[in-house]
Amino acid sequence: MLFRQIYEEGLAQGSYFIGCQAQGTAVVVDPRRDIQVYLEEAQKNGLKIVAVTETHIHADYLSGARELARATGAKLYLSDEGDENWKYRGLEGFDYQLVKDGDEIRVGNVTLTVVHTPGHTPEHISFLVRDGATATEPGFILTGDFVFVGDIGRPDLLEEAAGILGTAEPGARRMFKSLKEKFLTLPDYVQVWPGHGAGSACGKGLGAVASTTVGYERRFAWWADYLAKDDEAGFVRALLSGQPEAPYYFAQMKRLNRDGMPILGELKEPHPFTPEQFQQKLAEGALLVDTRDKFAFAGGHLEGAINIPAGKSFSTWAGWLLPYDRDFILLASPGRVQELATQLVRIGLDRVVGYIPSLDGYVQGELETVPQFTAAEAKALWERGEAVILDVRAADEHQAVRIPGALNLHAGRVMKHLGRIPRDKPVVLHCLGGDRSSTAISALLAAGFTNVINLTGGIRAWQEHGFPTEKGEARQAVGA
């Protein structure tokens, strides 16, 4: 058996390529939308992809299951578990089979047995993997967003991101049952290969190593004691507390992954614009996504641009802040344009129409800058009550330590709550060190705010000066 984890750092997402060399066939589990990596893996190993499957209807990225099935002629195997709200649609024209608990997917000597593991979502399935050439029992379980390394999938996404109220607590109870009846009944030696690692918003404390075992999680996972004591109520409270804010684009991903999205085919590389083409596209309503670092953006940028620095979290912040109904122009170096456009494609932001390599020669007149305050300057305004302090970190960070009286609104949520941000006095934004606040300020400037200021160095600089802080539940907060 050939077993490969294919990991995408930006979304902290793992997919799996499993092949039977004896029969020359392979199955891919939870593929991402840009499928070239799987085609290359198959070609390199002389295998034909004959089956494509996934663990559930994903929220954090666009699935490549349909894309890969169309490109290879492989059969789709998709969950038929869960309620009617989360049954797959848009499968016309595909060779597909809907599967339930206990069904098997056979690829040569390799067998994937379907295990219904609801909790993260109602339709969620995992796969027990058995290499029939060497073993009579499964040695692996692909857990998707069910069990992570050191954590488990959050059950609140249908409520938090998709707006289906009243689903978080029932989902947590289903998770308890799935762990008890489906996971902890497995032998300790079974290897656990999850769908996400550290950095994913699909859990709150995912480990950074690639895999674990049933025995290790049984002994060391934070949830293990609750299961050992059969404490369902305590488990539910612990699981639902402290979950990170879910990006708004998750709801869009859920719908597209359920109903189907356009087939991309071969990815096209964005082409460079001339200054005239650039200005024409802006006039037609295109949005400039400035991928330079926060310092370059603060020093001078095109009015209306949104700053999402190229880096590990590029796609996540794009999903938070970019609209799905506009064309985009990237300000990026030629060597990074294709990579960045592909990251956008992974979350369905397909409308990159071109790029510019710099602002030189493309923009005439004065560039807009980002006003900056030192911690001392911000403190002076704060003491006189002449400024609003807006903390754009996550809620748990804000509760752990904050500037007294600061309002809190996650940086990714500013565009949805413009009316809650004051316009009649200076608003000093901060995060931990200045990255998230710079991105949030760029969005607010693009939305017409003229009273926003970045706290250089973030709350870390404030603390280094020994300025006052407090902790605990916030007395005031900008609503999320």
Side-chain angles (χ1 to χ4, degrees):
M1 181 178 76
L2 175 73
F3 184 91
R4 295 277 191 272
Q5 184 194 55
I6 297 172
Y7 197 75
E8 200 280 298
E9 292 282 350
L11 294 166
Q13 182 260 330
S15 53
Y16 296 89
F17 184 101
I18 306 171
C20 172
Q21 295 101 322
Q23 299 295 324
T25 53
V27 56
V28 178
V29 182
D30 285 336
R32 64 189 192 226
R33 197 175 178 212
D34 51 308
I35 61 170
Q36 189 60 34
V37 63
Y38 312 108
L39 302 178
E40 291 173 356
E41 189 71 31
Q43 183 178 33
K44 179 175 67 176
N45 291 283
L47 301 175
K48 177 178 175 58
I49 298 171
V50 297
V52 180
T53 187
E54 60 188 25
T55 52
H56 64 296
I57 299 170
H58 299 286
D60 59 310
Y61 68 99
L62 275 188
S63 166
R66 291 174 174 89
E67 191 83 32
L68 188 55
R70 179 63 56 82
T72 61
K75 187 171 184 176
L76 273 174
Y77 294 87
L78 301 171
S79 174
D80 196 28
E81 298 284 3
D83 58 59
E84 288 303 315
N85 288 324
W86 298 106
K87 297 291 188 184
Y88 285 90
R89 306 169 189 172
L91 296 173
E92 298 80 7
F94 290 94
D95 180 13
Y96 71 93
Q97 179 181 335
L98 300 179
V99 295
K100 288 184 175 289
D101 187 74
D103 288 346
E104 293 183 341
I105 303 170
R106 295 179 180 270
V107 180
N109 293 322
V110 177
T111 301
L112 275 61
T113 301
V114 176
V115 184
H116 184 212
T117 50
H120 176 66
T121 60
E123 83 289 349
H124 195 289
I125 55 178
S126 300
F127 298 102
L128 286 168
V129 182
R130 176 172 61 88
D131 181 5
T134 61
T136 58
E137 299 293 333
F140 306 80
I141 183 169
L142 307 182
T143 52
D145 289 19
F146 170 38
V147 175
F148 301 124
V149 178
D151 200 9
I152 48 181
R154 58 191 296 180
D156 63 321
L157 278 183
L158 293 182
E159 189 164 324
E160 171 79 3
I164 305 176
L165 300 180
T167 55
E169 184 172 330
R173 297 189 184 280
R174 284 193 291 269
M175 179 67 78
F176 185 88
K177 183 175 180 173
S178 292
L179 289 167
K180 183 177 180 179
E181 298 180 359
K182 300 295 181 69
F183 186 77
L184 292 178
T185 55
L186 297 172
D188 282 352
Y189 63 78
V190 173
Q191 295 181 34
V192 177
W193 290 86
H196 290 288
S200 169
C202 291
K204 58 182 175 180
L206 286 70
V209 297
S211 66
T212 181
T213 64
V214 171
Y216 190 90
E217 297 305 305
R218 188 196 311 276
R219 184 169 181 181
F220 295 113
W222 69 260
W223 49 265
D225 284 346
Y226 293 104
L227 270 294
K229 297 173 182 175
D230 203 28
D231 181 6
E232 181 177 352
F235 170 87
V236 169
R237 287 193 299 271
L239 179 55
L240 293 179
S241 66
Q243 292 289 356
E245 289 86 346
Y248 289 124
Y249 79 94
F250 277 21
Q252 178 90 340
M253 298 301 94
K254 275 285 186 187
R255 181 183 62 79
L256 289 172
N257 283 325
R258 180 192 64 185
D259 300 346
M261 73 291 295
I263 298 296
L264 287 173
E266 185 177 353
L267 293 180
K268 295 180 175 60
E269 183 170 353
H271 65 274
F273 281 142
T274 66
E276 295 74 22
Q277 291 171 325
F278 173 61
Q279 292 298 332
Q280 179 62 36
K281 284 294 181 183
L282 290 179
E284 292 171 357
L287 175 64
L288 180 64
V289 181
D290 190 329
T291 71
R292 298 175 301 162
D293 64 47
K294 63 185 178 184
F295 301 109
F297 183 83
H301 59 267
L302 182 68
E303 185 176 346
I306 291 183
N307 180 217
I308 305 177
K312 183 177 177 180
S313 300
F314 178 76
S315 53
T316 298
W317 283 107
W320 270 115
L321 294 171
L322 298 183
Y324 277 80
D325 58 353
R326 289 182 68 180
D327 290 340
F328 305 111
I329 303 168
L330 298 179
L331 170 51
S333 65
R336 299 210 66 178
V337 166
Q338 182 63 64
E339 170 197 350
L340 295 173
T342 300
Q343 289 186 48
L344 295 179
V345 160
R346 289 174 186 151
I347 59 169
L349 289 166
D350 300 348
R351 298 177 62 172
V352 176
V353 294
Y355 78 95
I356 61 173
S358 70
L359 293 176
D360 294 340
Y362 286 88
V363 179
Q364 298 177 353
E366 293 293 322
L367 296 174
E368 188 175 52
T369 60
V370 177
Q372 304 283 331
F373 273 6
T374 65
E377 290 171 325
K379 179 174 179 286
L381 279 186
W382 169 77
E383 286 180 323
R384 297 195 300 267
E386 295 176 1
V388 172
I389 306 295
L390 179 57
D391 181 353
V392 297
R393 297 174 299 157
D396 60 340
E397 295 176 276
H398 181 73
Q399 290 181 19
V401 60
R402 63 178 176 273
I403 298 171
L407 305 180
N408 179 224
L409 176 61
H410 187 284
R413 296 186 167 181
V414 295
M415 296 299 280
K416 297 286 188 180
H417 298 281
L418 298 175
R420 302 190 182 211
I421 301 173
R423 292 178 181 262
D424 59 348
K425 62 170 59 177
V427 178
V428 180
L429 280 74
H430 81 83
C431 56
L432 179 62
D435 291 340
R436 287 171 284 178
S437 58
S438 176
T439 294
I441 280 181
S442 77
L444 293 177
L445 289 171
F449 280 76
T450 59
N451 59 325
V452 288
I453 303 159
N454 193 45
L455 173 55
T456 304
I459 196 171
R460 184 185 288 140
W462 182 278
Q463 290 176 294
E464 288 172 352
H465 282 77
F467 295 159
T469 60
E470 63 182 12
K471 62 181 179 180
E473 193 69 31
R475 293 191 299 271
Q476 298 179 348
V478 177

